[in-house]
Amino acid sequence: MAIDFNGALTLADHAALSNDPLVKEITKSLHQTWNALKDIPLYTSPSLKQVGMRYLNSGIPAPNWTGVNSEPVAVKGRPKSYEEQMYLIRNKILVDHVLLDQPTNIIDPIEAQVQIFLEGFAYDFNDKFVNNNPATGNVDCFPGLSYRMDNPTDYDIPTEMDLALTGTSADLYTNSALTANNFIFKMQETLDNMNAPDGDGVVFYMNEATKRRIELNIRVMGIGAGFDITQDSYNRPVEKYKNATIRTVGRKSDGTTAIIADNLNNGVSGDAGKCTHIYAVRYGTGYVQGWQSGPFKPQYLGLSKENGIMHNVVFDWGIGLWIPHTRAIARMKVRVTV
């Protein structure tokens, strides 16, 4: 049975509606680590697969303009079917009962293990969301944004969704008013290509250095240039270009390696190894959504019945990405070094 994604909620929405304090606490933890998961509207369903239909630019039926007393003309579109699946995360935390019984404990050992697991999950999800290649990476996780953009025909993505900002015309290292204006021009072109000229529902994901470069170029231009700063529910600043959110996707679990590197390519030989990539994702009904098997929270199973000494906590959660629209994701490849 297909899922009706019209009722999909973000993790913040799920937390607001839930009376489970654990769901609220875990959602807060994910927000504090800037996990990309918090942006995805999620519907709860046990379905392992979703099959959908998408219409491409070919085979779109044309209306029949006619006069009074004329017969209607039958029309029929030719959609293309596609499929997405759910992927599972399963981990368990084991804590010896002796550790729980210590009178000198400052914090609960189980809570401490859950928190460090959530931190690791935040690092890994962000990395997989952008970089996972099922051919060379983890086949048991969804294809990342980079893989989808590198294989546009597999996902019916139009070529104009992958923009190469070539040479010095719109770079992020010259820091001149000309290149800054050209870069903003390309950001707007990206939004236009996504059917979101005002940025509604769009999030731009980039590395930390790229975000700093954009902030520098805004100052070089000396005007707002369409950028603004608001606050999220935790009173942290959130930068916007029109209605689109500008967000860093963070680092890998080593704490130093950027998830999106600065030595990538844009398809131009002279720019090879001098570029970074910015991903734009449009969330909302008909664009990018997801479904989960149930609330994202650990389940405490109590003391092991097998050995009688270990307390068991299990994470058992499934997630699938649902991207029905061919213009839901885009990429900007911009030069950032000399």
Side-chain angles (χ1 to χ4, degrees), residues 12-147:
D13 297 327
H14 281 287
L17 295 174
S18 175
N19 59 4
D20 189 332
L22 194 55
V23 172
K24 294 179 181 290
E25 186 64 29
I26 288 177
T27 301
K28 179 180 178 181
S29 175
L30 293 178
H31 272 262
Q32 291 174 335
T33 53
W34 288 112
N35 195 302
L37 176 61
K38 66 187 177 60
D39 294 322
I40 305 173
L42 294 171
Y43 193 94
T44 301
S45 170
S47 299
L48 291 176
K49 290 186 178 182
Q50 291 297 317
V51 178
M53 310 288 281
R54 61 165 60 108
Y55 286 89
L56 310 181
N57 288 336
S58 61
I60 297 177
N64 176 52
W65 295 81
T66 186
V68 178
N69 295 326
S70 297
E71 290 288 333
V73 174
V75 294
K76 182 180 180 180
R78 291 187 289 275
K80 179 180 178 180
S81 64
Y82 70 100
E83 181 178 283
E84 298 279 6
Q85 74 175 72
M86 177 181 287
Y87 297 88
L88 301 177
I89 293 176
R90 285 179 171 170
N91 289 89
K92 65 179 178 179
I93 297 172
L94 302 177
V95 179
D96 195 302
H97 78 94
V98 173
L99 297 177
L100 292 180
D101 296 337
Q102 293 300 304
T104 57
N105 283 340
I106 299 175
I107 60 174
D108 187 330
I110 292 181
E111 181 181 351
Q113 291 297 322
V114 169
Q115 289 298 325
I116 195 63
F117 170 80
L118 290 175
E119 183 172 344
F121 171 79
Y123 284 125
D124 189 70
F125 187 91
N126 287 350
D127 190 15
K128 295 289 195 300
F129 184 64
V130 174
N131 293 323
N132 188 49
N133 183 331
T136 60
N138 194 331
V139 70
D140 293 321
C141 181
F142 48 74
L145 299 177
S146 176
Y147 181 83

Side-chain angles (χ1 to χ4, degrees), residues 200-239:
D200 295 331
V202 176
V203 178
F204 285 101
Y205 295 103
M206 61 195 70
N207 65 31
E208 298 164 11
T210 300
K211 186 169 177 287
R212 292 195 295 268
R213 295 182 184 108
I214 292 176
E215 293 167 348
L216 173 59
N217 277 269
I218 295 171
R219 293 192 293 271
V220 168
M221 295 175 68
I223 57 175
F227 288 84
D228 193 13
I229 297 178
T230 61
Q231 288 186 331
D232 64 10
S233 56
Y234 295 98
N235 296 319
R236 295 173 303 181
V238 177
E239 296 187 30

Side-chain angles (χ1 to χ4, degrees), residues 129 145 194 201-205 279-283 288 328-330:
F129 184 64
L145 299 177
M194 301 179 78
V202 176
V203 178
F204 285 101
Y205 295 103
Y279 293 91
V281 180
R282 183 177 179 183
Y283 295 103
V288 176
I329 60 175

Side-chain angles (χ1 to χ4, degrees), residues 159-182:
T159 56
E160 64 181 356
M161 306 307 291
D162 200 12
L163 275 68
L165 283 60
T166 59
T168 59
S169 60
D171 63 61
L172 283 177
Y173 72 89
T174 303
N175 301 323
S176 69
L178 174 61
T179 56
N181 269 297
N182 287 341

